[in-house]
């Protein structure tokens, strides 16, 4: 089945075409330079830019896949979670295309898309523990199949990606800063300053990053009281933040594996899954449990993209997902993975 997939959940206008699991193209038009000066995504600006770009991104995808709508069998679109004005553009466009070309329309949960991003090449083994770390979410998800998700832990405040972005902002590194903080952290000494590991004694699988963010703010204040921050100071702060932020997540993954010993595979997805240190540390932990770590096959599949939405539709259809009712389909900004149900 050839699927044309659309994602406009935040600030990337993305369209991909897949033949089953095979990604024929994954076009991403990023709006990041427009939102940069505001230090975050501005929902109505995102909507305007999605509207301006969506048709040309669709044309580009069709041309890269060397096809037209006569070669497409189904449309898939993200209907949540995400920013309401942004999601709306993709959902409306997908509905129009489905009606105009007489195609079935599959409504996809963006977070199921992130999990599916690990399986363009890998084979899924269930039950699986999905570690979802993006700009909007930090969740540990017990996954029984593509279609049966239970959130067993989640952040009580900021997501991990958001914490990276906020630390970058405090250090004046720019937006989105996750990648920049990670790069500087590689040069720094993670033992240079002591920061508290969040949620160490909570006994559950939840996470929290707002306290750590405040601890970093105080640390920056203390270090800069002694003089302007040097590159070494900044790299050390990034390294300490990254170490503690990841340590907190890794301890919860270890706890989850002891609570759910039947887990067969761990999937790491979402924008922060691009982080090389996080991958390495997680792999080292999983080795002790004789478990494999699966990650997206390339960098483009880690952050928001439509190929992962096409993959989710592909796995959803195999799991019994039915096409959406075009008249009633609407965006759901606070959609949860636990809302995914394919069988009656
Ligand atoms: O999944 P994503 O593209 O968007 C959401 O659905 O939220 O994730 C974006 C997040 C941003 O917060 C960005 O700073 C973070 O992923 N990020 C990283 C890295 N690359 C992207 N964080 C840490 N290390 C990275 N290498
Ligand atoms: Zn995302």
């Amino acid at each position: 089945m050839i699927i044309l997939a659309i994602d406009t959940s935040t600030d990337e206008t993305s369209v991909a075409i897949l033949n089953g699991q095979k990604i024929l193209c994954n076009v991403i038009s990023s709006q990041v330079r427009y939102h940069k000066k505001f230090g975050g995504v501005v929902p109505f600006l995102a909507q305007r830019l999605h509207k301006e770009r969506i048709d040309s991104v669709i044309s580009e995808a069709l041309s890269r896949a060397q096809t037209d709508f006569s070669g497409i069998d189904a449309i898939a679109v993200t209907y949540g979670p995400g920013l309401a004005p942004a999601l709306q553009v993709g959902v409306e466009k997908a509905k129009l295309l489905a009606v105009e070309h007489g195609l079935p329309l599959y409504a996809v949960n963006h977070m199921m898309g992130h999990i599916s991003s690990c399986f363009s090449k890998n084979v899924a083994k269930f039950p699986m523990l999905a570690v979802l770390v993006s700009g909007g979410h930090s969740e540990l998800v017990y996954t029984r199949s593509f279609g049966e998700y239970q959130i067993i832990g989640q952040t009580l405040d900021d997501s991990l990606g958001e914490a990276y972005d906020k630390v970058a902002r405090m250090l004046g590194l720019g937006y989105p800063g996750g990648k920049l903080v990670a790069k500087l952290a590689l040069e720094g000494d993670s033992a240079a300053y002591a920061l508290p590991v969040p949620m160490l004694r909570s006994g559950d699988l939840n996470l929290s990053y707002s306290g750590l963010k405040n601890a970093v703010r105080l640390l920056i204040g203390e270090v800069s009281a002694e003089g302007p921050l040097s590159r070494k100071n900044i790299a050390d702060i990034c390294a300490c933040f990254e170490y503690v932020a990841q340590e907190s997540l890794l301890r919860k993954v270890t706890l989850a594996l002891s609570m759910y010993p039947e887990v067969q595979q761990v999937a790491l997805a979402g924008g922060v899954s691009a982080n090389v240190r996080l991958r390495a540390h997680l792999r080292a932990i999983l080795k002790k449990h004789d478990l494999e770590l699966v990650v997206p096959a390339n960098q483009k599949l880690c952050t928001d993209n439509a190929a992962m939405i096409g993959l989710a539709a592909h796995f959803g259809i195999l799991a019994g997902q039915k096409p959406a009712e075009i008249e009633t389909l609407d965006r759901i900004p606070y959609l949860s993975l636990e809302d995914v149900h394919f069988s009656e």
Side-chain angles (χ1 to χ4, degrees), residues 222-245:
E222 277 168 33
V223 180
S224 44
E226 288 163 23
L229 294 182
S230 65
R231 184 173 174 107
K232 163 102 177 84
N233 292 145
I234 293 176
D236 286 348
I237 293 169
C238 289
C240 292
F241 158 74
E242 175 161 270
Y243 172 77
V244 167

Side-chain angles (χ1 to χ4, degrees), residues 22 56 59 81 93 95 110 120 122 137 140 146 151 173 187 243-244 247 263 274 343:
K22 188 168 189 292
S56 64
S59 304
K93 179 54 73 177
K95 286 164 79 167
H110 181 83
S120 59
N122 296 309
H137 291 75
L140 297 182
F146 284 120
I151 299 170
L173 301 177
E187 291 175 25
Y243 172 77
V244 167
E247 184 62 18
V263 161
S343 43

Side-chain angles (χ1 to χ4, degrees), residues 256-288:
L257 293 176
S258 70
M259 291 165 73
Y260 300 91
E262 68 278 21
V263 161
Q264 298 295 309
Q265 191 179 49
V266 175
L268 176 66
V272 188
S273 72
N275 189 286
V276 285
R277 261 203 182 140
L278 180 58
R279 288 181 179 195
H281 289 153
L282 198 47
R283 272 207 182 94
I285 288 174
L286 298 186
K287 206 167 170 206
K288 292 186 211 146

Side-chain angles (χ1 to χ4, degrees), residues 60-77:
E60 168 88 25
L62 290 168
S63 127
R64 283 203 210 168
Q66 297 179 337
T67 189
D68 56 25
F69 274 100
S70 65
I72 302 294
D73 300 312
I75 309 280
V77 68

Side-chain angles (χ1 to χ4, degrees), residues 7 9-10 81 110-111 114 134-137 270-271 302-305 308:
D7 185 274
S9 57
T10 14
H110 181 83
M111 301 314 288
H114 275 301
S134 71
H137 291 75
C302 292
T303 43
D304 288 350
N305 69 91
M308 70 184 197

Side-chain angles (χ1 to χ4, degrees), residues 119 122-125 127-129 263-267 291-292 294:
F119 300 99
N122 296 309
V123 177
K125 293 179 198 158
M128 173 199 300
L129 175 68
V263 161
Q264 298 295 309
Q265 191 179 49
V266 175
L291 281 172
E292 87 179 297
V294 288

